[in-house]
Amino acid sequence: MMRTGAHADLEAGHVSSPRGGASAASAPATAGQEQAEAQGGSFPKDLFLAYKTLGVVFGGLVTSPLYVYPSMNLASPTKDDYMGLYSIMFWTLTLIGVVKYVGIALNADDHGEGGTFAMYSLLCRHADIGILPSKKVYSEEEPLIHNQSAVDRRPSWLGKFFERSITARRVLLFMAILGMCMLIGDGILTPAISVLSAIDGLRGPFPSVSKPAVEALSAAILIGLFLLQKFGTSKVSFLFSPIMAAWTFTTPIIGVYSIVRYYPGIFKAISPHYIVHFFLRNKKEGWRMLGGTVLCITGAEAMFADLGHFSKKGIQIAFLFSIYPSLVLTYAGQTAYLINNVNDFSDGFYKFVPRPVYWPMFVIATLAAIVASQSLISATFSVIKQSVVLDCFPRVKVVHTSQHKEGEVYSPETNYILMVLCVGVVLGFGAGNSIGNAFGVVVIMVMLITTIMLTLVMIIIWRTPPALVALYFIPFFIMEGAYVSAVFTKIPEGGWLPFAVSMILALIMFGWYYGRQRKTEYEMANKVTVERLAELLARPEVQRVPGLCFFYSNIQDGLTPVLAHYIKNMSSLHAATVFVTLRFLLVAKVDERERILVRRLGPSGVYACTVQYGYADSLRGDDLAAQVTSRLRRHVEADEAARLEAAWRAGVVHVRGKTRFYVGEDAGWFDKVMLGFYEFLHGICRSALPALGTPLQQRVEIGMLYKV
C-alpha cells in the first residue's frame, strides 16, 4: 500500500445531509417515512403493532415490579410509608408515562425517528444551532411542522441565543449525545437487574440456595444470551410478544387478588396528600427513597427511542390499555401485600405471588427478564449502528442478521463489551439494591435530558405559548430534578458505574462527531472544482497513466482536496478515473436502477459516480468496480467504451485519502484537545475501505494534512 504522507477516509456508511451527517432526513425512503405510513394505517394494523411493541419496546418497563421494592433500603417501614410509596409510583407512572411521553414526547419525532438525538437533529434542521453554524439546516421544500408559516421559521429568541453562543451549541450537542449514551448504560443494567431479580425467586422455595449461587446462575444465563447474539433474534423473536403478553396480563390478575385479600383500600393512596405526609414523616430518608421509586418508570424512554420501528398510535395503545393499567394494578397488589407484611420488601415480588401459581410465575418472570434483556441488548446494537451511520461514533463492525428487519443488527465488539460489563455488574454488585442504585442514575438522567430538549422543541419549533411551556417545564423539571438529586446520593453506592460508562461514551461520541464535522467543513471549503481539475490535468508535467482508478470521496458537490494533493505529488492520473461517493439510505435495499448513478465530468476519462445502498445491500469492492464500469459503458460512446475496457484490462486500483489534522499553535485550546482526541479515536477504529472487501493489492492510501 502506498502512502505519500496524509489521510482522507472513505465514508462508507456516511449519510449525506445538508449538515454533513447529523441527520438521515435526505434519504428518499427512510425508516421514519415507513413509520409515518404505518401511522396512517387502519385500527387493526395499529392494534397488531401495539401487540408487537410488548416484546420490544416495553420489556424493561413492564418487568420493573421484579426489582423496585427490593431496590429500596427501607428501615422499619409502616403502612403509611407504603401508601406514600405507592402514591409516588402511581403519579410518576401517570405524569411521566402518560402525560410526558404518550401525550407530548411522541409528537417530537424527526421524520418518524425518536430519542434525544432525533430531537437534536430536529432542532438543527429548524434553527442554525449545530456546532458548525455555517451549514444550512433546512431546505425550502421541506414541509413545516404544525403548518408553520415562513415568518414562524425565523429563529425564536432562544434560537438566536444558541446561534450566538458556540458554548451553548456544544453543550446542547453533548446533552443529546449523553442522552443516547444513557440508553446504552440501560443496556448494561437492565439485563443484569432483570435476570438477577427473576432468578432470585429460587430462594423462596429453596432457602438453602445462596446469593452467590443465584449470581452465578444469572451470570451463566447472561453469558449464554450474549453468545447467541451473533445468530440474530429472528428465529425466536416471534416468542417475545407472547411471553411479554403473558407477563403483562398475569401480574395484574395476581395484583387484583392481592388487593382483595390483603388491603382493598389501597387505591386511597392515589390522593397526593399521602405523598406530602410521606415526606413530612420521613424527611431526608424519604427523599433518599426516591432513588428506588424512580425504577418504576424505567424503560419509558424506549417508547420514544423506538418510535422509528413502530407507529405512534401502536405505542400509545399498548401503553394506555395494557402496560399502564398492568403496572398500576401490579404495584397496588404488591403494596397491599406489604402493608400486611411490612418486612418482606426485600423480596417484594415473589412473596406476593400465591403459592399455587408460584412456579408458573417464576418461569414467566425468568422468560420475561430474558426478553427484556434481549430487547435492551438489541436496542444498544441499533443505537451503535445508527451512531456509526450518522458519523457520531467510531466505526465498529455491524452485521445485519436479518434481510428483512433493519433493527436486527449485531456488533461483535459491542456485544462482548456489554457481556463483560453485565456479568461484572451481577458478580460485583450482587444485591438488587446495589444494582438499583446504579440503575436509577441512568433512568432519571435520560428523562431529565428529554424534558430539557422537549422544552427547546416547544419554544424553537412548535412556538408553543410561554404559559403552556411553563406548565410543562416547571412541574417536570422539579419532579425529575428531585429524582436526580436523590439518585446522585447513590453514586458512591454503585451509581458511579453507569454514569462513568455513559460519560466516557458521550465523550467518545462528541469527540468523533466534532472531528468529522470539522473535517467536512475543511473539505467543503477546499474542495476541487471541475474547472480546477481541468487546470491541474492541463499542466505539462501531469501524465495520464494506464489503468482504471476508483477514487473515493465523501463530497457530493465537488471533489475531495486529497485529489489536488495526489496530482501534485504523483504528477499523474489514471486514464480512466471514477470519483465514487457512497451514500447510505435508511431502506432495506435500493432498486438496482437507482443503485449506481454516473455522470461524465469535464476532462476526458474522468467520471463521477454515486453509489446508493441500503442496510440489507451487500457491497463488495470487486463487484462494485464491475458494476460501475458496466454502467459507464452503457452511457458513453463506442470509442470511449473501448478506452474504458482497455483501462479495465490494464488494472484496477482503489484510492482513498487518509487525512490527519494539523492543529497550529494559533488554534484554540478546545480544538487542540478535541481534534487530538479525534485523531486517537481515528487511529484505533476500523477502516472504511476494507468493509467493501476490495483486494488488498488494489488499495492505495494517500496521506494529507488538514490544517486547522
Side-chain angles (χ1 to χ4, degrees):
M1 294 172 66
M2 178 183 66
R3 299 175 185 265
T4 64
H7 161 174
D9 6 339
L10 158 70
E11 301 300 325
H14 181 73
V15 179
S16 297
S17 79
R19 297 185 312 284
S23 171
S26 59
T30 67
Q33 288 171 323
E34 294 170 3
Q35 183 261 9
E37 291 170 5
Q39 289 189 24
S42 61
F43 180 74
K45 186 174 182 179
D46 287 326
L47 203 59
F48 178 67
L49 286 174
Y51 168 72
K52 290 178 68 177
T53 64
L54 297 179
V56 178
V57 177
F58 297 109
L61 179 58
V62 81
T63 54
S64 59
L66 282 169
Y67 47 77
V68 170
Y69 274 117
S71 297
M72 296 184 190
N73 190 19
L74 301 175
S76 303
T78 64
K79 170 189 169 182
D80 290 335
D81 289 335
Y82 283 119
M83 294 289 278
L85 289 170
Y86 178 69
S87 188
I88 292 171
M89 289 190 285
F90 173 83
W91 286 108
T92 299
L93 286 167
T94 302
L95 293 175
I96 295 181
V98 177
V99 177
K100 175 182 170 180
Y101 281 102
V102 172
I104 302 174
L106 290 180
N107 296 304
D109 65 291
D110 177 34
H111 285 74
E113 297 292 333
T116 55
F117 204 78
M119 280 195 288
Y120 175 77
S121 176
L122 185 67
L123 288 165
C124 283
R125 215 174 51 252
H126 288 81
D128 196 5
I129 62 176
I131 58 173
L132 294 179
S134 61
K135 300 290 187 294
K136 184 179 179 182
V137 291
Y138 63 82
S139 63
E140 297 296 329
E141 298 80 10
E142 184 178 352
L144 296 172
I145 295 179
H146 293 273
N147 298 317
Q148 288 176 296
S149 67
V151 174
D152 289 336
R153 259 187 294 179
R154 290 200 297 266
S156 64
W157 63 269
L158 189 58
K160 291 178 181 177
F161 166 75
F162 277 99
E163 290 175 0
R164 289 192 301 266
S165 173
I166 185 65
T167 301
R169 294 198 298 272
R170 287 169 177 166
V171 169
L172 181 62
L173 172 62
F174 187 78
M175 188 188 306
I177 289 175
L178 182 60
M180 192 156 52
C181 293
M182 289 289 177
L183 282 179
I184 299 175
D186 198 352
I188 297 170
L189 294 171
T190 292
I193 195 170
S194 299
V195 173
L196 186 62
S197 299
I199 299 300
D200 199 51
L202 286 173
R203 301 181 69 230
F206 303 108
S208 59
V209 176
S210 65
K211 273 283 187 183
V214 170
E215 294 165 14
L217 181 57
S218 301
I221 291 173
L222 287 171
I223 290 172
L225 183 61
F226 280 105
L227 292 178
L228 291 174
Q229 294 303 309
K230 63 181 178 181
F231 299 109
T233 58
S234 296
K235 296 181 176 61
V236 294
S237 60
F238 70 95
L239 293 173
F240 288 0
S241 291
I243 289 171
M244 298 313 296
W247 170 266
T248 302
F249 295 112
T250 53
T251 52
I253 292 173
I254 296 174
V256 171
Y257 167 81
S258 183
I259 291 168
V260 173
R261 179 178 178 183
Y262 295 108
Y263 192 69
I266 184 63
F267 288 110
K268 293 186 298 184
I270 291 175
S271 172
H273 87 272
Y274 282 95
I275 299 176
V276 176
H277 289 168
F278 174 80
F279 286 116
L280 290 175
R281 187 171 55 255
N282 290 283
K283 298 182 176 62
K284 184 178 179 180
E285 282 305 309
W287 165 68
R288 287 174 61 86
M289 275 188 271
L290 288 175
T293 57
V294 71
L295 298 183
C296 73
I297 198 67
T298 179
E301 180 68 19
M303 278 192 282
F304 187 34
D306 288 340
L307 183 59
H309 298 287
F310 298 94
S311 72
K312 181 174 73 174
K313 287 182 181 177
I315 291 174
Q316 290 172 329
I317 290 170
F319 184 80
L320 293 175
F321 296 101
S322 63
I323 304 301
Y324 176 70
S326 174
L327 289 172
V328 167
L329 291 172
T330 301
Y331 283 121
Q334 280 185 280
T335 308
Y337 169 83
L338 290 172
I339 285 173
N340 283 266
N341 302 271
V342 293
N343 293 318
D344 284 350
F345 60 87
S346 61
D347 194 13
F349 177 77
Y350 282 110
K351 285 289 180 67
F352 105 108
V353 175
R355 188 60 50 185
V357 296
Y358 188 94
W359 287 112
M361 284 307 300
F362 173 79
V363 173
I364 294 175
T366 303
L367 292 175
I370 293 173
V371 171
S373 302
Q374 177 62 62
S375 299
L376 265 296
I377 294 168
S378 299
T380 302
F381 292 156
S382 182
V383 167
I384 292 293
K385 171 248 182 181
Q386 291 169 11
S387 301
V388 171
V389 165
L390 295 177
D391 232 358
C392 303
F393 197 80
R395 285 181 294 269
V396 295
K397 185 175 182 179
V398 176
V399 180
H400 287 272
T401 57
S402 171
Q403 291 291 309
H404 309 289
K405 297 179 182 178
E406 177 192 1
E408 289 195 16
V409 294
Y410 167 70
S411 171
E413 297 100 325
T414 306
N415 184 61
Y416 293 117
I417 291 173
L418 278 179
M419 182 178 76
V420 170
L421 290 173
C422 279
V423 172
V425 166
V426 168
L427 299 180
F429 287 87
N433 61 337
S434 298
I435 302 180
N437 292 337
F439 207 5
V441 174
V442 173
V443 171
I444 197 58
M445 279 298 293
V446 70
M447 291 183 179
L448 183 61
I449 289 171
T450 299
T451 292
I452 294 171
M453 298 199 68
L454 194 52
T455 303
L456 297 179
V457 170
M458 288 179 173
I459 297 172
I460 295 174
I461 302 176
W462 294 350
R463 304 302 170 92
T464 306
L468 292 180
V469 174
L471 192 61
Y472 163 77
F473 179 73
I474 293 174
F476 282 102
F477 187 78
I478 292 174
M479 179 172 63
E480 292 172 351
Y483 271 128
V484 167
S485 66
V487 299
F488 266 43
T489 65
K490 309 290 186 181
I491 285 183
E493 303 168 20
W496 59 269
L497 176 65
F499 190 75
V501 170
S502 299
M503 288 298 294
I504 291 170
L505 286 171
L507 286 171
I508 290 172
M509 294 179 75
F510 183 84
W512 181 265
Y513 184 80
Y514 185 79
R516 304 306 285 178
Q517 290 288 69
R518 290 303 303 265
K519 179 177 181 293
T520 300
E521 183 184 50
Y522 181 92
E523 290 178 338
M524 294 303 294
N526 296 275
K527 64 185 178 183
V528 177
T529 63
V530 175
E531 293 75 18
R532 173 63 174 156
L533 175 60
E535 292 175 6
L536 290 170
L537 294 179
R539 293 180 176 180
E541 69 273 15
V542 176
Q543 304 295 316
R544 301 297 295 274
V545 298
L548 174 61
C549 172
F550 290 90
F551 207 117
Y552 292 90
S553 171
N554 65 319
I555 301 178
Q556 297 276 353
D557 181 21
L559 302 171
T560 173
V562 178
L563 172 63
H565 179 73
Y566 174 76
I567 294 176
K568 288 177 181 178
N569 282 275
M570 305 302 295
S571 298
S572 66
L573 190 69
H574 285 77
T577 301
V578 183
F579 294 98
V580 181
T581 301
L582 301 180
R583 188 165 182 248
F584 180 87
L585 305 183
L586 291 178
V587 294
K589 287 183 175 291
V590 175
D591 188 279
E592 286 295 332
R593 293 169 296 181
E594 300 177 0
R595 168 73 63 82
I596 298 173
L597 309 175
V598 296
R599 61 188 175 92
R600 182 189 289 105
L601 296 179
S604 173
V606 179
Y607 311 91
C609 171
T610 299
V611 180
Q612 303 185 130
Y613 64 101
Y615 58 82
D617 282 322
S618 175
L619 275 185
R620 291 196 57 81
D622 47 359
D623 295 338
L624 181 63
Q627 291 176 38
V628 171
T629 306
S630 175
R631 180 64 61 91
L632 281 171
R633 287 175 187 148
R634 294 199 298 267
H635 289 80
V636 297
E637 302 293 336
D639 58 337
E640 198 171 351
R643 289 198 296 270
L644 275 173
E645 180 65 28
W648 173 270
R649 288 197 301 269
V652 177
V653 64
H654 297 264
V655 177
R656 69 158 181 163
K658 284 189 68 67
T659 60
R660 294 192 61 184
F661 281 110
Y662 172 74
V663 184
E665 292 297 325
D666 56 338
W669 68 268
F670 187 83
D671 274 341
K672 289 180 179 178
V673 173
M674 296 309 298
L675 295 181
F677 183 48
Y678 166 77
E679 286 297 326
F680 167 74
L681 294 174
H682 197 276
I684 62 174
C685 77
R686 285 179 178 265
S687 173
L689 193 57
L692 290 174
T694 53
L696 185 63
Q697 65 273 17
Q698 293 183 1
R699 301 177 198 165
V700 174
E701 294 181 341
I702 306 300
M704 182 177 176
L705 291 176
Y706 283 1
K707 186 178 185 306
V708 178

